Amino acid sequence: MEIDPLIFRLSIFILSIFVGYYVVWSVTPSLHTPLMSVTNAISSVIIVGAIIAGLSGNSNSIFNTSSIFGFLAIALAAINIFGGFLVTQRMLAMYKKKKKDK
Amino acid sequence: MISANLSAIFYLISGVLFILALRGLSSPETSRQGNLFGILGMIIAVTVTFLSIGNFSTGFIFVLIFILLGGSIGAFIAYRIPMTAMPELVAGFHSLVGLAAVFVAISAFLNPEAFNLGTKGNINLGSLIEMSIGAAVGAITFSGSIIAFLKLQGLMSGSPIVFKGQHPLNAIILISIVILIYLLCSSQSSNLFWILLAVSFLIGFLLIIPIGGADMPVVISMLNSYSGWAAAGIGFTLENTALIITGALVGSSGAILSYIMCKGMNRSFFNVILGGFGATDNNSSSSNKEQRPVKSGNADDAAFLMKNASSVIIVPGYGMAVAQAQHALREMVDTLKKNDIKVSYAIHPVAGRMPGHMNVLLAEANVPYDEVFELEEINNDFANADVAFVIGANDVTNPVAKTDPQSPIYGMPVLDVEKCKSVLFVKRSLSPGYAGIDNDLFYKENTLMLFADAKKMTEDITKNL
């Protein structure tokens, strides 16, 4: 008997929750703000769905109701991706160790 | 055009890179590399999507235009945002993830053929369930984050908004969402889909308005978690591994942060979510508000105390962020260090408006991160320190949490500031903190209150050192 592909995806999902659980507990509390901004950036990988939606129109009409929602979602997700990664980068660049010269 | 199997493998790779991005945050040294892994994962995911569609028509140009449009807005915000506004920014970003999830779900509902989910009016049952859950959670994330954003930005009062019948109303709405999803899946009616979205937006607003400003660390973490679950829901619909992995990671990350924040306040998650904290405790605060003597001093006194100390512990809180005092504070500490005084910083888990808020501000002011300590690491040191300098923190230093079982904050872990030989407490007035209770610390023998704006006071002390 074939296993439903949904079960495979569910397995990936459950295992990822556990991976996330252990990985996030190992994040140092001083980096919790960058953690939030970077999780925000990566959850915008939802842009892959938005791209499919945006390209769902045919060559005669690029814009239909469905693809317009797709394009809007692309813009929103892109704000998050660029904003999220760049602001994380900016924050992480500020974390410095004590200077030795003293 | 690449095969579905190949693209699935690439999505898996980008999911693994995202895991490594979070793993990097275990220490500041590896964190920058981790962020690069995250960026690489994103580039792979987007490129593979283009390749798997393989339809480089005019639509493709519009995709690029919208990516550039959103990307430049995002980049502009990322470079311009002051570090003190980070909680608002994160709340705003969460709302965008939520809305994007809603839009993708709408698009898939209107045009299921493009996603291989069946035909309009006859969408595969499994996909429709996943899609409607993703859309509902996305809508809740969106409207909830908007309220959180408005509260943090000060465009809306930070005090809880409570009304009669609030909890029963919310419960009815939540139950009706479940019923709507059931009806939608059995009838495929598009009207029900729009009603589901509207009701989900509504419950997002209603869930966040009763939660007060100081509980925002929990709310932001919770919305962070929701945005992850919304992404995962859409990931199931699109059968996309990268989205499922990321959604699970972000979902559990936000959940853990909420748990840490709740523990930092010794409150249960439901207690925070049901809201109204600070609004309902008015009786207890008015009853024990007798006038007690306090000692107050000026910058000169504070400078004198610190000059004669050999070790100083700084306790920053939200007030420091409001007054933008982090740079002035670091200048003061530099002067102290020149006089061979040992300085360290003590951060309470819920100091500020989001997890890690104080750490970022101190990092911005060039405070080395190995001088900054968490509550458990430093709490025993207060007994040996000469001066504790409390700047903008209040409830997290209140000894009542250890002594008075009647107090609403009893049992909350607090910094043992009162054990220091002397305590300098910078504050505008004697008003109580968000919990609406008096801080016993104000009236201790060894406490000197410095009534002033945090930034101005810190600068004045530096001049007097």
Side-chain angles (χ1 to χ4, degrees):
Chain A
M1 217 177 92
E2 287 267 314
I3 299 172
D4 192 325
L6 176 68
I7 303 300
F8 282 119
R9 287 192 283 276
L10 204 59
S11 321
I12 294 173
F13 180 64
I14 304 288
L15 289 175
S16 303
I17 292 178
F18 278 91
V19 172
Y21 180 85
Y22 289 106
V23 169
V24 172
W25 271 117
S26 75
V27 171
T28 163
S30 67
L31 291 176
H32 276 163
T33 299
L35 171 68
M36 298 199 85
S37 61
V38 83
T39 50
N40 193 38
I42 64 173
S43 59
S44 303
V45 72
I46 200 160
I47 197 169
V48 301
I51 293 172
I52 299 173
L55 291 176
S56 64
N58 55 37
S59 44
N60 304 325
S61 61
I62 298 159
F63 292 104
N64 54 41
T65 330
S66 165
S67 73
I68 287 172
F69 276 111
F71 285 123
L72 290 176
I74 290 174
L76 294 178
I79 295 179
N80 257 324
I81 293 173
F82 283 77
F85 281 125
L86 289 174
V87 88
T88 309
Q89 195 84 344
R90 210 182 122 198
M91 274 191 273
L92 293 177
M94 298 183 317
Y95 282 82
K96 290 186 201 85
K97 255 193 162 160
K98 210 183 304 198
K99 282 193 218 89
K100 295 251 162 67
D101 56 13
K102 263 216 291 143
Chain B
M1 181 107 177
I2 56 175
S3 79
N5 283 332
L6 191 58
S7 54
I9 288 172
F10 277 112
Y11 283 134
L12 184 62
I13 292 173
S14 86
V16 171
L17 286 167
F18 290 151
I19 295 174
L20 294 176
L22 299 194
R23 182 73 185 99
L25 290 171
S26 57
S27 105
E29 284 115 72
T30 54
S31 61
R32 283 171 279 253
Q33 188 197 27
N35 199 40
L36 295 178
F37 280 137
I39 296 173
L40 183 63
M42 188 62 72
I43 293 173
I44 291 177
V46 171
T47 315
V48 169
T49 310
F50 282 138
L51 292 178
S52 65
I53 297 173
N55 162 21
F56 293 99
S57 64
T58 23
F60 182 71
I61 295 165
F62 282 98
V63 172
L64 288 184
I65 290 176
F66 278 93
I67 290 182
L68 282 178
L69 180 74
S72 35
I73 298 174
F76 179 77
I77 298 173
Y79 283 112
R80 292 298 298 274
I81 191 89
M83 284 298 145
T84 41
M86 207 45 72
E88 293 94 302
L89 179 76
V90 169
F93 277 170
H94 287 158
S95 74
L96 299 182
V97 179
L99 196 59
V102 172
F103 284 174
V104 172
I106 293 177
S107 181
F109 185 78
L110 294 176
N111 189 358
E113 289 95 341
F115 296 84
N116 285 326
L117 306 175
T119 54
K120 192 158 193 234
N122 191 17
I123 301 171
N124 305 336
L125 181 62
S127 312
L128 189 56
I129 297 174
E130 293 150 8
M131 191 190 297
S132 45
I133 293 175
V137 179
I140 295 172
T141 312
F142 170 71
S143 52
S145 303
I146 292 285
I147 299 293
F149 174 82
L150 293 176
K151 286 196 174 197
L152 288 164
Q153 185 80 8
L155 295 171
M156 189 178 155
S157 157
S159 53
I161 298 171
V162 283
F163 53 88
K164 232 183 155 149
Q166 194 164 26
H167 299 321
L169 177 70
N170 290 350
I172 290 170
I173 296 180
L174 284 173
I175 293 167
S176 72
I177 286 181
V178 177
I179 297 173
L180 275 168
I181 292 179
Y182 174 78
L183 290 176
L184 170 65
C185 293
S186 51
S187 73
Q188 304 254 351
S189 145
S190 54
N191 284 340
L192 285 177
F193 184 72
W194 300 119
I195 296 174
L196 172 68
L197 285 182
V199 173
S200 305
F201 280 128
L202 180 67
I203 190 69
F205 285 117
L206 289 174
L207 280 176
I208 308 301
I209 54 168
I211 304 179
D215 287 340
M216 280 303 148
V218 182
V219 172
I220 297 193
S221 318
M222 184 185 83
L223 292 166
N224 185 238
S225 177
Y226 285 2
S227 69
W229 304 131
I234 303 295
F236 274 100
T237 320
L238 304 179
E239 309 183 346
N240 184 308
T241 331
L243 252 177
I244 295 176
I245 295 177
T246 315
L249 289 179
V250 178
S252 50
S253 159
I256 291 172
L257 289 177
S258 324
Y259 170 79
I260 295 174
M261 293 300 111
C262 286
K263 216 167 144 248
M265 295 192 288
N266 187 40
R267 293 171 59 200
S268 77
F269 185 67
F270 285 102
N271 181 295
V272 176
I273 296 311
L274 292 177
F277 198 63
T280 46
D281 291 312
N282 285 335
N283 308 340
S284 60
S285 66
S286 53
S287 61
N288 59 53
K289 212 179 248 172
E290 83 257 42
Q291 287 295 317
R292 285 189 282 175
V294 291
K295 280 196 293 185
S296 80
N298 56 29
D300 209 10
D301 306 329
F304 178 78
L305 268 171
M306 285 208 255
K307 229 188 289 181
N308 292 307
S310 60
S311 70
V312 173
I313 300 180
I314 315 253
V315 182
Y318 182 58
M320 181 187 82
V322 174
Q324 306 256 17
Q326 65 271 32
H327 298 280
L329 180 67
R330 207 249 319 142
E331 275 159 34
M332 184 187 94
V333 169
D334 283 350
T335 320
L336 288 175
K337 281 198 214 152
K338 265 181 217 141
N339 293 318
D340 280 329
I341 299 166
K342 185 175 168 283
V343 185
S344 37
Y345 299 79
I347 313 263
H348 191 275
V350 294
R353 285 292 187 263
M354 75 184 290
H357 193 187
M358 291 300 121
N359 303 80
V360 170
L361 294 183
L362 293 177
E364 186 200 12
N366 282 321
V367 172
Y369 61 81
D370 37 11
E371 287 176 11
V372 183
F373 299 93
E374 304 300 318
L375 179 121
E376 309 88 66
E377 296 170 326
I378 200 167
N379 228 5
N380 292 329
D381 297 355
F382 280 108
N384 304 319
D386 297 310
V387 175
F389 185 71
V390 183
I391 172 166
N394 187 359
D395 290 321
V396 298
T397 62
N398 196 341
V400 158
K402 289 176 284 190
T403 53
D404 179 10
Q406 305 301 315
S407 164
I409 62 166
Y410 181 71
M412 166 170 144
V414 287
L415 292 160
D416 295 335
V417 173
E418 77 283 357
K419 289 191 182 150
C420 270
K421 289 199 190 74
S422 41
V423 177
L424 295 169
F425 207 112
V426 186
K427 202 169 181 316
R428 293 241 189 93
S429 68
L430 270 184
S431 62
Y434 80 95
I437 44 168
D438 242 6
N439 191 341
D440 256 12
L441 196 58
F442 299 165
Y443 314 105
K444 294 265 182 205
E445 265 298 295
N446 54 352
T447 304
L448 188 67
M449 299 298 293
L450 306 168
F451 293 111
D453 173 73
K455 189 175 176 190
K456 192 166 177 309
M457 178 52 78
T458 319
E459 285 165 352
D460 288 350
I461 293 174
T462 314
K463 272 180 218 142
N464 281 299
L465 275 169

